[in-house]
Amino acid sequence: MTETTWLDATAQAELVRAGEATPAELVDAAIERIERVDPQLDAVLRDRFDAARAEARGDLPDGPFRGVPLLLKDLGCHVAGEETHYGTSFLRDAGVRWPNDSHLAQRFRAAGFVVLGRTNVPEFGTTITTEPAANPPARNPYDTGRSTGGSSGGSAAAVAAGMVPIAHAGDGGGSIRIPAAACGLVGLKPTRARVSQGPDVGESWAGATIDGVVTRSVRDTAAVLDLVAGPMPGDPYAAPPLPRPLAEEVGAPVGRLRVGLLDAAPGEQYLDDPACREAVARAGRLLADIGCDVEPGAPEAMFEPLFPRFFTTTIAADVALTLSALERSALGRPVDDAELEPRNALYRAVGRKLSAEDYVGARAWLGAWSRRMAGWWAPPGLGGQGFDLLVTPTLAARPPELGWLTAGGDAEEGRRINSLMPFTAQFNVTGQPAVSLPLHRTDEGLPIGVQLVAGFGREDVLVRVAAALEEAAPWADRRPGVSA
């Protein structure tokens, strides 16, 4: 069989279609890599290798990715009869098994993927590093003393290290893009409601959360989003239809786009790493070379001081509700504060004290603010500024050392999280698509991600530009120090 370690998912699927590899061979090879490499990274929490081998040798759906191995994040994407722990000790210890498939799990299965296991996450996905109290920290394959980012950090580490070509991820404030940046991958957060979270979730974090994947190639990201996108009956709303499949945007002409560059966040409360500034400058030069009009610029409302307050209000309400639902339906008992990490105990306490007026007021403020943001992308004829893309660093600094975010104590943790992620959460709230691309590295070889943000519903623009940048500045040959 052809060596598959560094082939992307599209190439592995092509081997199966051509008869040059079987699903069983792809799965066996990925399992061998996980067993050999993961003890150094703790990216994979729980395997289902026996079930995966049986599925690969059985009657798999004849989807475009038939036989390609996949890992699921241990948060969301429920599979009937299997466990999902949300990074908690109490769901792990109770052995809770979910009664039904999520719509996304059904879509992955129909595409032909074979799931090998679940990846490491922070508790409830409420921070940007994967260092849960319930499990060992996920380690960055480029430097095992550093964070993978979060909350899809285990997924990102596994793909970056060559264990699997692709993994499920989810994003509520940057949790696809941030791990992609930390681990040198492609991570696209789709437009709000592009991927259904049903049947269990209508909207989470006031519509800020969305599922996707982390990959090593733009074509994989595009092709998989084509397959998992679309509402299920009863969803509260749907994303605008795309003009054509995203896979057809790979290699399509970019056109003369108007691009705004933002290389640092204003204010001493944010980190300002020169490597992140240089990453944006380099991206600007590449975009100019492919024919874009590039200038400094960003929405005026981008760093509105009240934004963090109202965004965290919606998170606190959701954490409180999620815990109440788990206590009632899955556990049958209360969850004590001592069973939660301090961050989530605080979120629950705040969420329980919120009045309906507080919550609806936060939603109303965020809605008005989102309209101010969206005007930057709107055509001048509609009163907008007519930009097509915003380019920022994904993170304000290189991946931090493990333990840094919590080293200052509970009160300091929130400040450090905010200092590192000034560019991502805004677009969870506006619902716009955004992608992190591995366009830069520090002198010591650490990945630095660059974020591109398009107008609402315009993943087509992101994929066209991302594919052109991948061709202009290829990253496929990069290998971390810990890899298969």
Side-chain angles (χ1 to χ4, degrees), residues 96-166:
V96 173
R97 295 180 181 273
W98 297 92
N100 55 272
D101 282 343
S102 69
H103 186 67
L104 178 58
Q106 293 173 353
R107 291 276 181 122
F108 279 138
R109 188 179 297 118
F113 286 109
V114 180
V115 175
L116 302 189
R118 291 278 180 173
T119 61
N120 206 346
V121 297
E123 187 180 86
F124 287 115
T126 54
T127 186
I128 58 170
T129 186
T130 302
E131 304 176 54
N135 298 296
R139 296 181 177 275
N140 194 314
Y142 283 90
D143 179 346
T144 56
R146 291 183 181 269
S147 173
T148 59
S151 61
S152 309
S155 289
V159 174
M163 297 185 221
V164 291
I166 191 166

Side-chain angles (χ1 to χ4, degrees), residues 92-306:
R92 178 197 64 201
D93 296 345
V96 173
R97 295 180 181 273
W98 297 92
N100 55 272
D101 282 343
S102 69
H103 186 67
L104 178 58
Q106 293 173 353
R107 291 276 181 122
F108 279 138
R109 188 179 297 118
F113 286 109
V114 180
V115 175
L116 302 189
R118 291 278 180 173
T119 61
N120 206 346
V121 297
E123 187 180 86
F124 287 115
T126 54
T127 186
I128 58 170
T129 186
T130 302
E131 304 176 54
N135 298 296
R139 296 181 177 275
N140 194 314
Y142 283 90
D143 179 346
T144 56
R146 291 183 181 269
S147 173
T148 59
S151 61
S152 309
S155 289
V159 174
M163 297 185 221
V164 291
I166 191 166
H168 163 239
D171 196 313
S175 289
I176 293 173
R177 292 159 288 161
I178 289 170
C183 296
L185 301 174
V186 179
L188 191 155
K189 181 198 81 68
T191 293
R192 175 179 293 128
R194 180 74 68 199
V195 179
S196 175
Q197 295 181 301
D200 297 321
V201 176
E203 60 172 15
S204 175
W205 290 15
T209 65
I210 189 78
D211 288 280
V213 290
V214 285
T215 73
R216 294 195 293 263
S217 69
V218 174
R219 68 177 185 172
D220 275 3
T221 293
V224 173
L225 186 52
D226 281 335
L227 294 170
V228 301
M232 70 172 293
D235 277 355
Y237 40 74
L242 292 162
R244 59 180 175 175
L246 290 173
E248 296 180 17
E249 305 294 350
V250 176
V254 168
R256 189 165 184 168
L257 303 178
R258 188 180 180 198
V259 179
L261 300 186
L262 173 65
D263 64 2
E268 294 182 356
Q269 70 269 37
Y270 301 117
L271 297 174
D272 184 4
D273 190 324
C276 296
R277 286 181 179 264
E278 175 53 32
V280 171
R282 181 167 185 251
R285 293 191 293 270
L286 290 169
L287 288 163
D289 288 345
I290 62 176
C292 295
D293 293 327
V294 180
E295 61 189 279
E300 184 180 350
M302 180 84 179
F303 301 105
E304 169 62 55
L306 289 175

Side-chain angles (χ1 to χ4, degrees), residues 452-470:
L452 279 63
V453 186
F456 192 84
R458 297 309 306 269
E459 287 96 331
D460 56 328
V461 174
L462 287 185
V463 168
R464 282 200 300 273
V465 175
L469 291 172
E470 183 180 32

